[in-house]
Every structure is written in C-alpha cells, then in structure tokens.
Amino acid sequence: MSSAASDVYKRQLQEQVQAAAATGTALLIQGSNSKSFYGRRSRGEVLSVNPHRGIIDYTPSELVISARAGTTLAELESVLQQQGQMLAFEPAHFGDNATLGGTIACAFSGPRRPYAGAARDFVLGVNCINGQGERLRLGGQVMKNVAGYDVSRTLTGSLGTLAIMLDIHLRVLPRLETELTLQHSCDAATAIQRCNALAAQPLPLSAACYLDGQLTLRLSGLEQGVQSAAASIGGETLRDAARFWQQLREHQLAFFSGERPLWRLSVPPATSPLPLEGDTLLDWGGAQRWLRSDQPADTIRSITGSVGGHATLFRGGDPDGEIFHPLQPQLLALQRRLKQSFDPAGILNPGRMYREL
C-alpha cells in the first residue's frame, strides 16, 4: 500500500468510527482473524484493518522497523531475516496470514520472552484511531523518546478495546550466531528448580520448557559461549530443535490437541507444581504453564491466585463467559478510566476482554 493510499484508507476508517460513535454502533475490529479464538466473544459491525499493510520504514543499523497493522508476520520476518535480524519476542502466528496488528493487540510472545523481553518491551510507538475517530500518535520511531507514561505499550494486549492500531514501530534485534538445544530427564519439581538456578547464572539461555518428563533448554549466542554453556549444563542434544520450538510456539505439539479447555497460567517462575487436575506443560522457565483440564474455572483461578498468579482460558469453554482472570476492584476501576479516555462511547470491541468493558 502506498503512502497516498494509506492516507485515504485512514480517513475512511476515521469516518467509520466517527459515524459509529455518533450512533453508538459497536465495531468488531478484524485483521486476518487468525486470533479470533482469543478473548470473549464481541459482536458488532466488522471494521477490517487487513488491507492496511506494508512496511513503512526499516533502518537495520538502528534496529528499528515500522509497519502497518495489516502487514503479515511472515512478510515482516522475511525482511528482517535478510538483514540478519529478528522479532526477539518470537511471536506465535497461529495462522499463515497472521498480522502484526493482531499480534500486538494480543501481546503474544513466544519461548524467548523471559530471556529477551515481551512484545510490549519492543513497541516504540503506535499510530492509531481512538473510539471518537481521532488519530493519535503515541510514542515514536526511535528509542528513549518518551517521557512519562508510555501509552503505546498500554495498547499492547488491549485486544482492540482502546483504539484501532494503524502503524506500529518496533525495536528489533540481531539474529544470534548459534543455537543449541539440550534435554534432561527429570520430574516437574526438579525442572522448575533447575530452570531458576540456571536463569541466575550468566548463561545464554533463550528458552526453557518441560513436558512429559523432559526438560528442554535452548542456548543462543556466539559459538564459543554456547558450547561452553552446553558443556557446563550437560544433557542430550535435541535434533531438529528448530522444529520443536516452532511447534511449541504455534501450539502444534501433541499436548495442545484434544477437546479439553486449554488454560494459560502465569505464576512466579519458582512456584512448585500446582495441585491441579489435567496435563501441564511448563514454559518460560516455569513462569508460564499450559494446562489441559476440565476442572471448574473457579477452582483453577483460586489455586493459581493463591500463589500470586492468574489464569486465562486460552481456548475452549464458553466464549461469552469470563476468559481472563477477574480484576481486583482497583484495577477494574483503572481499566474503566482507560476505556473512558480512549473510547467513551464503548464501541470498540465491547466486552472482548471483560464483560464490564
């Protein structure tokens, strides 16, 4: 999409939002729909940002790239790869046509997240349209140009309930020279202890997960450093490791198949295995835990909350029910103020995150 065509499209989107705000018409923001399963069901008139695509600016020497929200992750990653760079938060696609806007709206980060940073850590700025049809420019295209509250990162993970993202400016990182994956046989409690002990050492860890009695560790960095760390850690080298990490990221491992609801639990990484029924996969060195379980939502959330964590119903269950962990009154009040500030008419993806919003 050319700059002129982009400007025309943005004006059209503005007019749609302004008309919807005037009549109180709910808008359902869509990209490629690869992540439509995530969050509560939202109803409204479809507003598509999928045609708004293309890389706006890329300066490899500055480690910064800007792209329109409808740009596919595949295109973005291909361009970065040609320059030996990457999206360091290793986002899941969940579909061939996954877009940058949908990824940032969902704040999805892959196995590298605890060691390189989350999606919101790499967002430098966002150009967007709020619920009143106003175009906003939040943050910028360079690092360290924002003083005070960084509103652009607030949009990361907001599921389109605050604004319609148009252009996104990201920090990228160089691809690492060498990667090596090691596996150890152990139980879950030992895996958690080992992950936390290794994370406290100056080792080039870039992923750590546990499944079916196997602790799987990925090392990434310079050849000498990776080999030295591997000799220190020990274990069996995993062949076709790139495929394993991709299948983990994209939920293509056998663990993720089946009809039982899939929960994502976020807990302090050193937390012992939780007394929950079902099958569990540990990711992010123990900080993110995937649970396949038929236990009641209240039970899962109560046990997860008792250790200072929260539980999200990632797939399955009632799309009109509570998907995200209930907010404490103070946090709910803050969310309401944010929603009122960005979208006073409440027309953008209403109820997608919480029933009250």
Side-chain angles (χ1 to χ4, degrees):
M1 177 178 281
S2 66
S3 296
S6 173
D7 288 339
V8 171
Y9 193 74
K10 289 175 182 178
R11 285 196 296 272
Q12 291 174 346
L13 289 178
Q14 276 188 277
E15 291 171 0
Q16 283 182 264
V17 175
Q18 289 166 355
T23 59
T25 301
L27 295 176
L28 180 60
I29 305 166
Q30 289 186 357
S32 69
N33 255 0
S34 63
K35 300 168 181 63
S36 59
F37 65 87
Y38 184 62
R40 298 182 72 253
R41 179 156 45 197
S42 183
R43 297 174 174 85
E45 180 181 307
V46 173
L47 188 151
S48 176
V49 296
N50 203 41
H52 190 62
R53 58 179 61 188
I55 294 174
I56 302 167
D57 183 56
Y58 178 33
T59 311
S61 62
E62 297 294 330
L63 298 176
V64 171
I65 192 166
S66 300
R68 300 183 180 98
T71 308
T72 64
L73 287 182
E75 177 186 353
L76 200 63
E77 289 173 337
S78 175
V79 170
L80 292 172
Q81 187 173 19
Q82 293 172 23
Q83 296 296 325
Q85 296 179 350
M86 64 179 180
L87 296 175
F89 55 99
E90 205 170 7
H93 291 211
F94 296 135
D96 294 337
N97 296 317
T99 63
L100 175 61
T103 298
I104 298 304
C106 293
F108 285 160
S109 302
R112 200 181 301 271
R113 183 256 184 264
Y115 311 100
R120 63 172 39 88
D121 298 320
F122 293 90
V123 175
L124 298 174
V126 172
N127 297 340
C128 62
I129 297 174
N130 67 9
Q132 299 178 82
E134 300 169 330
R135 281 168 62 174
L136 307 177
R137 181 176 180 179
L138 308 173
Q141 294 175 260
V142 297
M143 288 180 278
K144 296 183 179 178
N145 71 333
V146 177
Y149 192 76
D150 192 345
V151 183
S152 61
R153 295 187 182 187
T154 301
L155 298 186
T156 307
S158 65
L159 292 181
T161 60
L162 299 178
I164 302 163
M165 287 186 279
L166 301 172
D167 310 320
I168 301 168
H169 314 298
L170 296 171
R171 179 168 61 96
V172 299
L173 290 182
R175 297 185 68 85
L176 299 170
E177 178 181 300
T178 300
E179 287 196 336
L180 178 65
T181 295
L182 303 170
Q183 287 191 317
H184 304 77
S185 297
C186 61
D187 59 27
T190 301
I192 292 169
Q193 293 171 359
R194 184 153 197 182
C195 284
N196 281 272
L198 292 174
Q201 301 177 39
L203 297 170
L205 274 175
S206 64
C209 80
Y210 175 82
L211 175 64
D212 295 336
Q214 291 288 331
L215 172 61
T216 306
L217 304 169
R218 185 176 65 189
L219 303 171
S220 305
L222 298 177
E223 177 74 25
Q224 183 176 353
V226 167
Q227 294 300 330
S228 176
S232 173
I233 295 172
E236 297 293 325
T237 301
L238 176 64
R239 295 182 179 180
D240 201 9
R243 182 169 178 264
F244 170 82
W245 293 112
Q246 180 179 359
Q247 288 183 326
L248 171 62
R249 183 191 72 188
E250 301 296 337
H251 289 191
Q252 295 169 349
L253 295 174
F255 170 86
F256 294 103
S257 63
E259 297 181 358
R260 286 184 298 174
L262 176 66
W263 290 83
R264 182 175 65 184
L265 313 181
S266 178
V267 299
T271 303
S272 299
L274 299 175
L276 290 166
E277 298 175 5
D279 299 322
T280 302
L281 183 155
L282 308 181
D283 197 5
W284 296 2
Q288 176 171 261
R289 305 185 184 185
W290 297 101
L291 173 70
R292 279 283 190 192
S293 178
D294 288 317
Q295 277 193 285
D298 288 347
T299 301
I300 293 173
R301 289 192 167 118
S302 176
I303 293 174
T304 306
S306 70
V307 297
H310 61 266
T312 299
L313 181 55
F314 198 79
R315 288 183 190 268
D318 181 5
D320 293 316
E322 292 302 335
I323 301 298
F324 299 95
H325 205 95
L327 293 173
Q328 294 296 321
Q330 299 90 335
L331 289 176
L332 181 57
L334 177 59
Q335 289 280 0
R336 281 177 168 152
R337 289 200 296 272
L338 276 172
K339 180 70 170 174
Q340 178 65 26
S341 176
F342 276 91
D343 180 24
I347 63 170
L348 301 181
N349 282 2
R352 184 70 186 273
M353 291 188 72
Y354 296 100
R355 193 186 309 273
E356 303 91 336
L357 304 173

